[in-house]
Amino acid sequence: MKGNRSYRFSHTVSRRPGNSVVDGLRAATRTDPVPKLFQQEHDAYIATLKKASVSTIVLPKLEVFPDSVFVEDPVLCLDNTAVILRPGAKSRFGEAAAMENDLKPIFDRIEKLTGNGFVDGGDILLTDTEALIGLSDRTNSEGVEELSSILSAHEYEVRIVHTPAGVLHFKSDCGLLDSETIFSTKVLARSGCFEGYNVIEAPEGEEAAANLIRVNDAVILRSGFEKTKQLLEESGYLVMTVPADEAAKIDGGLSCMSLRFSL
Ligand code: CIR
């Protein structure tokens, strides 16, 4: 097993948001994202990833799939292998085949779920040794069962957990800080699903900051969450912030806008 494989990465893959982001899925009635602003925030996101020392690959926009900017959901990266998943939302199912095409020239190995179950990448938190998978409206037991054999071949133990009710994805409410430490909303942390890890809880009122990402030496956090920034800096992390208000309008966060891996 490679050390620190949960946050040491050489590359990322992202996809530009299209004008169709206005039709992106969302749980609550919110104003539509503004495509031009979304693109600006996406540019800032890519620039921040670069500052965190990865080579960034940006795929062209795919207007036919309004949520295709959220590349994390149809694919799971395990070391240098891309696993093509089966996204649980009807309007997103076709993103998997599109990603498979785009990733072929990049990855040495592509594996694929072929059964009838569903798994969204947003429900999977990888640590160095484990895959914590939240069952949700998008991820079911059948999908997890098929994925489990691929995960064990890559030396990951599977821990099945639950995405809290009303929360889109497991990782909407948590993110990895380092090999032993997870940042999480209080509600999720107190469900006991992180036993064996250190947990830092999101400050009151800053639950939407939980979907942060660790990329090499940096913790990348959505801007506007000052208490969280301070807490993480006091805990010794190097924090970089980036705006993601447009993505948030359609339930997206930071983790979903990139695949992070090492070639
Ligand atoms: C969706 O509902 O699928 C998108 N509007 C948002 C996906 C966000 N992805 C993620 O949290 N991994």
Side-chain angles (χ1 to χ4, degrees):
M1 187 202 66
K2 294 176 195 163
N4 301 342
R5 63 175 170 170
S6 55
Y7 66 90
R8 293 268 161 227
F9 305 116
S10 65
H11 287 73
T12 58
V13 166
S14 298
R15 185 185 294 286
R16 287 168 76 87
N19 292 329
S20 61
V21 286
V22 295
D23 296 320
L25 297 174
R26 69 208 83 171
T29 318
R30 290 198 202 97
T31 54
D32 292 342
V34 179
K36 199 169 158 218
L37 297 180
F38 204 134
Q39 182 60 59
Q40 284 168 8
E41 290 187 351
H42 199 260
D43 289 344
Y45 178 77
I46 302 296
T48 308
L49 289 173
K50 283 195 173 115
K51 275 205 286 177
S53 305
V54 284
S55 299
T56 55
I57 300 166
V58 182
L59 303 172
K61 58 185 158 187
L62 209 48
E63 295 289 2
V64 67
F65 296 116
D67 285 301
S68 55
V69 61
F70 303 122
V71 289
E72 174 182 73
D73 294 320
V75 181
L76 176 69
C77 294
L78 303 175
D79 307 315
N80 57 0
T81 300
V83 183
I84 310 298
L85 302 173
R86 288 173 49 85
K90 234 186 186 158
S91 68
R92 302 200 60 188
F93 192 72
E95 289 177 34
M99 284 302 284
E100 183 178 359
N101 253 341
D102 285 325
L103 296 183
K104 265 185 201 150
I106 301 170
F107 283 85
D108 292 343
R109 273 181 74 87
I110 303 234
E111 301 191 41
K112 205 168 155 171
L113 295 189
T114 55
N116 294 318
F118 296 100
V119 180
D120 266 18
D123 282 317
I124 307 170
L125 180 74
L126 291 180
T127 71
D128 291 338
T129 54
E130 274 192 304
L132 284 74
I133 311 182
L135 297 174
S136 73
D137 288 349
R138 303 281 180 90
T139 297
N140 62 17
S141 311
E142 204 176 340
V144 174
E145 198 178 312
E146 188 184 356
L147 182 62
S148 294
S149 57
I150 299 177
L151 284 162
S152 65
H154 286 266
E155 296 178 58
Y156 286 96
E157 296 281 328
V158 173
R159 185 190 294 212
I160 297 176
V161 292
H162 287 272
T163 300
V167 173
L168 174 60
H169 286 124
F170 182 63
K171 269 189 305 192
S172 307
D173 266 25
C174 64
L176 187 94
L177 286 169
D178 59 43
S179 300
E180 293 89 33
T181 316
I182 291 165
F183 186 71
S184 171
T185 60
K186 203 170 280 181
V187 172
L188 184 59
R190 304 221 171 154
S191 73
C193 64
F194 300 123
E195 207 188 311
Y197 293 92
N198 304 321
V199 177
I200 298 182
E201 290 182 358
E204 197 84 39
E206 298 205 349
E207 290 73 15
N211 178 249
L212 48 69
I213 49 174
R214 171 77 190 260
V215 179
N216 297 325
D217 291 336
V219 171
I220 306 179
L221 173 73
R222 184 176 156 202
S223 38
F225 297 96
E226 287 311 311
K227 286 190 270 182
T228 301
K229 183 168 184 279
Q230 196 181 334
L231 174 65
L232 295 177
E233 284 174 345
E234 281 168 6
S235 306
Y237 296 101
L238 167 70
V239 181
M240 296 182 185
T241 57
V242 66
D245 294 350
E246 298 308 304
K249 288 177 182 170
I250 48 171
D251 300 341
L254 299 186
S255 75
C256 30
M257 292 193 285
S258 59
L259 297 173
R260 302 163 294 280
F261 54 97
S262 288
L263 290 181

